[in-house]
Amino acid sequence: MGHTVDYYLAPQSPWTYLGHQRFADMVHRTSSVVRIRPMDLGKVFPVSGGLPLGQRAPQRLAYRLTELARFRDHLGLPMNLQPRFFPVAGDPSARLILAADMALGADAAMKVAGAVLTACWSQERNIADAQVLTELLQEQGLPASLLEQAQQAEVQSRYEACTQAAIDAGVFGSPSYVIRDEIFWGQDRLDFVERALTQV
């Protein structure tokens, strides 16, 4: 059994999309345990100094697109830099990821997260739309009933708890990986994440 890593993510984050499958492969390769923790950046940003895209300076917005293109090309991943359905609310997808985790475990939750991220950043699909989320579940071979479970109060409570856990851990962006109380922010830190997961 490997280490445990807390995976804090926002399901509408392009950076999380760029790193998700590499992280999933890494977890399996190192026999690590992932605790998937979708978070509400709308609550994390105000206490950590982050700004939503609409409030960022033009220079930062321009550089963001440049960096996304660099990583897209470097990693060879299909990606629309300015997808049709973005900005998009992440809450419905976050609750669906948690519903999958609570009902079926981390592997199912990771599959849902990967499908949601790909839908947003590669397939021009609206991840806040219930029909799209139903289709994604079907495509992953997961029960459509998870969408109904995602509406339950206990899932919302878990979402709020994950968001608070992110704040308490000092997380300020997505994706963030926390291993033994050490934060690794960003998909470009996955080399360091793997080193931490392979340490005895």
Side-chain angles (χ1 to χ4, degrees):
M1 182 67 70
H3 295 290
T4 296
V5 51
D6 291 331
Y7 179 29
Y8 291 97
L9 73 150
Q12 72 275 36
S13 161
W15 308 106
T16 305
Y17 165 67
L18 289 169
H20 181 78
Q21 190 57 52
R22 284 183 294 140
F23 173 64
D25 293 342
M26 182 183 301
V27 166
H28 287 291
R29 187 167 60 249
T30 60
S31 300
S32 298
V33 175
V34 61
R35 294 190 297 205
I36 192 164
R37 293 187 167 177
M39 59 181 172
D40 183 353
L41 287 180
K43 294 180 178 177
V44 172
F45 277 172
V47 299
S48 62
L51 291 175
L53 285 179
Q55 297 178 29
R56 295 179 192 173
Q59 299 92 328
R60 289 180 177 271
L61 293 174
Y63 190 72
R64 171 183 174 275
L65 292 177
T66 298
E67 280 282 85
L68 286 175
R70 284 174 179 160
F71 277 105
R72 175 199 61 191
D73 297 344
H74 173 67
L75 297 170
L77 288 175
M79 184 180 196
N80 301 311
L81 298 183
Q82 296 178 295
R84 179 181 174 191
F85 297 103
F86 188 84
V88 62
D91 295 349
S93 297
R95 287 191 291 263
L96 185 60
I97 293 166
L98 285 170
D101 187 40
M102 294 165 73
L104 301 173
D107 286 348
M110 290 289 284
K111 285 177 65 175
V112 173
V116 165
L117 290 160
T118 299
C120 181
W121 291 101
S122 175
Q123 300 171 344
E124 300 280 24
R125 297 162 83 177
N126 182 1
I127 62 169
D129 181 81
Q131 181 58 40
V132 170
L133 294 179
T134 299
E135 293 168 1
L136 293 178
L137 289 173
Q138 293 172 342
E139 291 163 14
Q140 297 302 311
L142 297 171
S145 59
L146 287 175
L147 192 62
E148 182 177 345
Q149 295 176 41
Q151 310 305 315
Q152 296 177 0
E154 62 179 331
V155 174
Q156 177 62 29
S157 295
R158 176 84 173 273
Y159 184 32
E160 293 171 0
C162 287
T163 300
Q164 187 58 51
I167 293 170
D168 293 344
V171 166
F172 52 88
S174 176
S176 289
Y177 319 91
V178 180
I179 305 166
R180 298 185 299 276
D181 297 323
E182 184 176 1
I183 300 172
F184 302 82
W185 172 50
Q187 57 84 30
D188 53 339
R189 298 298 185 267
L190 280 171
D191 286 348
F192 291 107
V193 171
E194 183 156 22
R195 290 177 198 174
L197 291 178
T198 54
Q199 287 177 354
V200 178

